[in-house]
Amino acid sequence: MTGDITPPHEERIDPREGAVDAARVEALLETLQATADGEADATTADPGPQVTPSEAEPVDRLGQLEAELASLRSENESLRGQYMRIAADFDNFRKRQSRDKEDQRLHITCTTLTEILPVVDNFDRARQQLNPQSEEAQTLHRSYQNLYKQLVDVFKQLGVSPMRVEGEPFDPSLHEAVLREPSEDHPEDVVIEELQRGYHLDGRVLRHALVKVSMGPGPAGGSSPAEAPAPPSEGQSD
């Protein structure tokens, strides 16, 4: 028996259904392709907040450099402050050394001149007491006077100047009162006589003057009392 006999266990496939399935598959592929293209375009247009490693490296390097710059600035300010303090300390040290050196020089000068002043006193006393009469004595006196003048000129060059105290008010910072006596010609506490000359050195007291001080007018009609020594409280002032 011939003919188209389909076995019972097999199903017939309609060719039209196969054609419909192929069209569906093609349409589905086109839809998937269009979706994939749309997602690729969206990714390209808006990459989002993601940063690639090559872009993150410069950002980290910039932050590191800024931190190093801030550290160097802080260190520079600290070193600058130390330098300013050291410079100020050195300037103060230099000024102090200059003052100490000047004070030492002045102290040595005062000490030396104080030792020489008694020689000047002796020259001055001899000059006042000598009264040469003969030509030979006058020649010797002139030589002596020239020597005294030379000594006085040296003192002037060193800044030493004598005090002028007679008739001046008594000043403990300049004078040392040795005697006090009544005086009709001078008011109280006025220097009436210089017993030993005082000297200045560049405005400072090199040696106080020993003086006699007036006590003012004595009792009316009374006899002048003897000269009285000055009280200890009126001695030389430091």
Side-chain angles (χ1 to χ4, degrees), residues 22-34:
R24 282 170 137 186
V25 169
E26 186 177 356
L28 180 59
L29 290 175
E30 291 177 356
T31 302
L32 291 175
Q33 184 65 33

Side-chain angles (χ1 to χ4, degrees), residues 1-225:
M1 194 174 155
T2 61
D4 187 9
I5 299 174
T6 303
H9 61 275
E10 293 181 0
E11 295 181 357
R12 181 179 297 274
I13 298 175
D14 190 351
R16 292 177 299 176
E17 293 180 359
V20 172
D21 290 340
R24 282 170 137 186
V25 169
E26 186 177 356
L28 180 59
L29 290 175
E30 291 177 356
T31 302
L32 291 175
Q33 184 65 33
T35 303
D37 292 341
E39 292 177 355
D41 293 339
T43 304
T44 304
D46 185 14
Q50 297 180 356
V51 179
T52 61
S54 60
E55 294 176 348
E57 183 177 355
V59 175
D60 295 340
R61 180 59 177 168
L62 180 60
Q64 182 180 0
L65 291 176
E66 289 179 350
E68 291 179 358
L69 178 60
S71 176
L72 290 175
R73 284 178 176 173
S74 176
E75 183 178 357
N76 178 66
E77 289 297 325
S78 177
L79 292 176
R80 185 173 181 273
Q82 293 180 10
Y83 167 77
M84 296 298 293
R85 288 192 294 271
I86 292 174
D89 292 340
F90 177 76
D91 187 59
N92 293 333
F93 171 77
R94 181 179 56 82
K95 292 178 179 179
R96 184 169 59 252
Q97 286 292 100
S98 179
R99 288 194 301 267
D100 293 344
K101 183 178 180 181
E102 180 62 23
D103 291 342
Q104 184 179 11
R105 185 194 67 82
L106 185 60
H107 175 72
I108 294 174
T109 302
C110 291
T111 303
T112 304
L113 293 176
T114 302
E115 296 295 330
I116 299 176
L117 284 178
V119 179
V120 179
D121 295 336
N122 292 331
F123 268 95
D124 193 35
R125 294 189 188 98
R127 182 180 60 87
Q128 295 176 0
Q129 294 175 2
L130 290 177
N131 186 17
Q133 300 294 331
S134 64
E135 182 65 26
E136 183 179 358
Q138 290 180 2
T139 301
L140 179 62
H141 182 65
R142 283 192 296 268
S143 299
Y144 170 81
Q145 293 285 11
N146 291 333
L147 182 60
Y148 176 76
K149 182 178 182 300
Q150 184 179 1
L151 183 61
V152 172
D153 290 340
V154 171
F155 269 63
K156 288 182 179 179
Q157 293 175 5
L158 295 175
V160 179
S161 58
M163 296 181 185
R164 304 299 178 187
V165 298
E166 291 188 8
E168 297 293 328
F170 175 75
D171 185 351
S173 64
L174 301 176
H175 314 138
E176 181 179 353
V178 178
L179 298 172
R180 295 175 64 89
E181 66 177 17
S183 173
E184 298 292 337
D185 299 327
H186 299 89
E188 187 178 3
D189 288 335
V190 171
V191 176
I192 58 178
E193 185 178 349
E194 180 185 64
L195 304 179
Q196 185 181 71
R197 182 162 296 177
Y199 289 90
H200 287 111
L201 175 62
D202 294 331
R204 300 186 179 187
V205 176
L206 179 60
R207 188 179 72 180
H208 290 73
L210 302 182
V211 297
K212 182 189 296 185
V213 182
S214 171
M215 297 173 60
S223 58
S224 299

